[in-house]
Amino acid sequence: MSRPAHGTLHHVELWVPDLHRALASFGWLLQALGYTVHQDWNAGRSWRLGPTYLVIEQSPDLTAGRHDRRRPGLNHLAFHVEDTTTVEELAADATEHGWRLMFPERHPHAGGGRHYAAYLENDDGFEVELVAIAPPERTRPQPARES
């Protein structure tokens, strides 16, 4: 591994109410995004991609049974995804791994017309955003020309 750039994210640690459920949803997603298992212990697991790793842990110190992304704290994690085709493939496969598509009526532009992404939420209330690295240009209809 090369030396990380100053200021890049080192790791994120998520405390979850049910480790097995989190491993099914997050484990599948992280591996589909290219992360590999970094550490594994009775109460958790971590996955690494480059210099950054993500930890999922079921801590005995939890004070609630479900994550609420609308409370102070973590709202969501956003991941770069190779292209729009991969965003769609991951969004379709995600439902088999404990995720549901958020904002289906606005998918894949829930973040705006030039933003191609899938917003997913798992059974424990965690949200992820899968953002296409190079979304296709959306063109506006051209006004009709007068002859």
Side-chain angles (χ1 to χ4, degrees), residues 26-143:
F26 275 106
W28 166 80
L29 179 62
L30 293 170
Q31 289 182 265
L33 293 172
Y35 285 73
T36 57
V37 173
H38 174 57
Q39 300 163 313
D40 196 3
W41 64 102
N42 288 341
R45 186 173 297 163
S46 70
W47 294 263
R48 179 181 289 280
L49 181 62
T52 304
Y53 65 96
L54 191 118
V55 179
I56 303 291
E57 183 173 15
Q58 184 174 347
S59 171
D61 295 329
L62 285 173
T63 60
R66 179 173 162 78
H67 176 71
D68 185 347
R69 64 184 178 79
R70 290 172 281 193
R71 295 192 65 166
L74 178 74
N75 178 266
H76 69 280
L77 296 172
F79 296 94
H80 290 288
V81 174
E82 186 60 37
D83 52 33
T84 59
T85 300
T86 307
V87 168
E88 293 305 325
E89 289 170 353
L90 289 170
D93 292 347
T95 60
E96 297 173 25
H97 301 278
W99 297 97
R100 71 171 182 82
L101 183 65
M102 302 172 72
F103 322 115
E105 69 286 354
R106 298 186 317 208
H107 175 76
H109 299 289
R114 295 184 180 267
H115 188 73
Y116 196 103
Y119 294 82
L120 306 171
E121 184 177 33
N122 74 4
D123 292 334
D124 290 317
F126 287 96
E127 178 186 346
V128 296
E129 180 181 354
L130 306 176
V131 184
I133 293 171
E137 286 293 321
R138 287 188 72 187
T139 57
R140 295 183 191 177
Q142 297 297 318

